[in-house]
Amino acid sequence: MKPYRISAVILRHAYEVRHNPNHITNMVYLPVINIVVWGFFTLYLRHNDRLQPGIVSCLLGAVILWGMFSAFQRDMAVGFLEELWSRNLVSLFASPLSVSEYVTGLAIVTLAKASP
């Protein structure tokens, strides 16, 4: 695996994120709304003395972790599907780029998108 090929895949997806507002919405807006909604829900449960303090922080931590896992899965699938939709997949594999280099670059990009 060549690092410059992996960085080319990362750069290609970075340009795509910069020019597509849907990616920014999925990276910033939806996780913030999810955490705010679950935060208000746990405050409501805590206010009515239905939960202990340790359970509230555990519930919020689980929501954040679940959001990261679902964002990683969604971004991996959408990253590959966007290559198909833009008819770029044939061009990528006609180049000397290997499958492992492409998947490594895509995994790095999705980890960067999913991390808060």
Side-chain angles (χ1 to χ4, degrees), residues 83-84 86-95:
E83 300 290 345
L84 287 174
S86 66
R87 297 186 179 121
N88 193 34
L89 195 64
V90 174
S91 299
L92 281 177
F93 290 122
S95 70

Side-chain angles (χ1 to χ4, degrees), residues 62-74 110-111 114-116:
V63 167
I64 292 169
L65 187 64
W66 181 264
M68 280 185 57
F69 283 147
S70 65
F72 182 78
Q73 183 268 336
R74 180 193 63 230
T110 56
L111 279 175
S115 64

Side-chain angles (χ1 to χ4, degrees), residues 1-2 4-5 90-102:
M1 289 195 327
K2 308 275 185 187
Y4 64 90
R5 291 182 187 162
V90 174
S91 299
L92 281 177
F93 290 122
S95 70
L97 182 69
S98 68
V99 175
S100 62
E101 291 167 342
Y102 176 73

Side-chain angles (χ1 to χ4, degrees), residues 34-92:
N34 195 11
I35 291 171
V36 167
V37 166
W38 279 97
F40 282 135
F41 179 65
T42 55
L43 285 176
Y44 168 74
L45 290 177
R46 187 173 170 194
H47 177 68
N48 291 334
D49 293 328
R50 295 183 185 157
L51 287 178
Q52 296 174 355
I55 296 174
V56 172
S57 60
C58 184
L59 185 62
L60 279 177
V63 167
I64 292 169
L65 187 64
W66 181 264
M68 280 185 57
F69 283 147
S70 65
F72 182 78
Q73 183 268 336
R74 180 193 63 230
D75 289 339
M76 279 295 282
V78 169
F80 180 73
L81 286 173
E82 282 178 349
E83 300 290 345
L84 287 174
W85 292 330
S86 66
R87 297 186 179 121
N88 193 34
L89 195 64
V90 174
S91 299
L92 281 177

Side-chain angles (χ1 to χ4, degrees), residues 11-25:
L11 187 63
R12 185 235 183 276
H13 284 283
Y15 287 146
E16 188 174 340
V17 166
R18 199 173 96 196
H19 292 292
N20 193 348
N22 290 334
H23 292 291
I24 297 170
T25 301

